[in-house]
Amino acid sequence: MSDRASFGEMLTFGFRTLFWRPVHSVILIAVASAAMIGYYTWAQSPGGIAWMTDYMNASSGLGVGELGPYLSMVAVSASVGVVVMSIYYCGVYRLMVRDDAKPWLPFQIGADEFRFFGLSLLLLVLTIGLMLAFILISAIIGGVTGLLVGSAGSGGNGAAHVAGMAAGVMGVVLGLIMLIPLFYILGRFAVNYPLSIKERRFTLSGWKLSKGQGWSLLGAHLLIYIVVLVVQILLTGDMMMASMQMGVSGQAVVSEEYIAMLVNPLGDLLYIGAPIQVILGVLMFGPTAAIAAKAARSTVSGAETRQD
């Protein structure tokens, strides 16, 4: 059996998992949906609305240099978010790649979650390092391009203006182009998540296992993200539009209507949208899980063959 997951397997692995393990999947979706509905129910309470209002006001304060309130709010939300993300991601990955996954205990806190947290810290450092490197490269190339364009001009303010525009355009174009290798590298690194859960140990072998499959991995993620984005627009389009309008207008005062959207972006579709969003999460994790599951099964099969 080949140890390489095909593009089709990456693309459909999450969807096929729902049918491969129907009992596991139904229980996981039900538990995660109940937790999501519980959160949004709390968020719409007076306490939840007050917290969200304070958070948005602290965010607006960044425009006038008030950093302290924002950092204190982010520290709380980020801490809770990391814990929730670790529990949720590990639960979904266990469903996909671990043969002895317990159907009645989809989410827990244990060694998997701590390994996930460690890998997330490494991924954060890698992401920051790559972004800084790409920004530096873009700035250098954009600056050189601006100098060349300026020197080729007739001189004066006109040439300087053209050079500045050329440097800006080149910087933006290069920044967009460099998102491709960034996502390629991060996608291959992310294989370590399901692989660590499959093997029950901290490992960075995901990069090696995904060799030759990076572009298929990137393409599968891209197609799934497009589907997810379309569904999210259908579910939370009003909130997205309101956020865009606020960003464009530079509005500093947060309205009560906008807060109401933030505390429940799904609106009347909450009970339908919650399980849909959980299913979308399963689909998104499919490409990396497919590589980890296929490679691990191939390794076990090969070991059994050698013993025979």
Side-chain angles (χ1 to χ4, degrees):
M1 181 175 64
S2 172
D3 62 349
R4 293 169 62 90
S6 67
F7 175 77
E9 288 173 324
M10 296 180 199
L11 192 63
T12 62
F13 191 80
F15 184 76
R16 288 185 288 117
T17 298
L18 299 175
F19 293 92
W20 169 50
R21 284 183 158 170
V23 175
H24 291 69
S25 300
V26 169
I27 294 174
L28 182 143
I29 293 170
V31 173
S33 299
M36 187 180 299
I37 292 171
Y39 166 74
Y40 283 132
T41 300
W42 168 82
Q44 296 175 81
S45 69
I49 293 175
W51 191 92
M52 181 61 70
T53 301
D54 290 342
Y55 182 87
M56 294 306 299
N57 288 335
S59 301
S60 301
L62 288 175
V64 293
E66 297 179 357
L67 186 60
Y70 177 75
L71 290 179
S72 63
M73 299 295 291
V74 168
V76 174
S77 59
S79 299
V80 175
V82 167
V83 174
V84 172
M85 182 183 68
S86 299
I87 295 173
Y88 174 65
Y89 276 49
C90 289
V92 174
Y93 274 134
R94 275 193 295 269
L95 167 71
M96 290 180 159
V97 303
R98 187 169 288 174
D99 295 332
D100 60 348
K102 298 177 177 63
W104 302 107
L105 191 61
F107 301 108
Q108 53 191 279
I109 299 178
D112 288 336
E113 287 69 25
F114 283 103
R115 285 189 287 265
F116 183 93
F117 179 73
L119 285 170
S120 297
L121 290 179
L122 288 178
L123 183 62
L124 177 62
V125 172
L126 176 63
T127 302
I128 294 174
L130 288 173
M131 291 183 66
L132 290 176
F134 291 157
I135 290 173
L136 178 61
I137 294 172
S138 299
I140 293 174
I141 296 178
V144 171
T145 301
L147 290 175
L148 293 175
V149 172
S151 62
S154 58
N157 294 332
H161 179 68
V162 172
M165 290 183 59
V169 171
M170 181 61 68
V172 171
V173 172
L174 286 174
L176 293 175
I177 292 176
M178 287 182 179
L179 287 177
I180 297 175
L182 175 65
F183 292 145
Y184 172 91
I185 294 171
L186 297 182
R188 288 187 60 183
F189 181 91
V191 177
N192 292 310
Y193 287 123
L195 189 63
S196 293
I197 291 176
K198 175 70 178 181
E199 298 184 353
R200 287 185 167 87
R201 65 185 180 90
F202 186 92
T203 179
L204 295 176
S205 301
W207 182 267
K208 180 180 179 181
L209 289 177
S210 61
K211 182 179 180 181
Q213 303 174 83
W215 294 115
S216 296
L217 188 62
L218 177 63
H221 275 137
L222 179 61
L223 289 179
I224 293 173
Y225 286 158
I226 291 174
V227 173
V228 170
L229 178 60
V230 171
V231 175
Q232 291 286 46
I233 290 175
L234 294 176
L235 291 175
T236 64
D238 292 341
M239 188 203 69
M240 291 183 176
M241 184 62 66
S243 298
M244 292 177 60
Q245 291 176 347
M246 284 191 63
V248 172
S249 64
Q251 181 179 343
V253 179
V254 183
S255 66
E256 294 183 359
E257 292 78 10
Y258 185 58
I259 292 295
M261 292 182 185
L262 290 178
V263 297
N264 181 17
L266 295 171
D268 296 335
L269 299 176
L270 175 60
Y271 292 94
I272 299 175
I276 290 177
Q277 290 194 325
V278 176
I279 293 173
L280 292 177
V282 175
L283 299 183
M284 285 194 297
F285 303 157
T288 51
I291 294 178
K294 191 81 178 281
R297 289 168 187 165
S298 178
T299 301
V300 172
S301 177
E304 293 174 348
T305 301
R306 287 192 296 272
Q307 290 176 358
D308 294 340

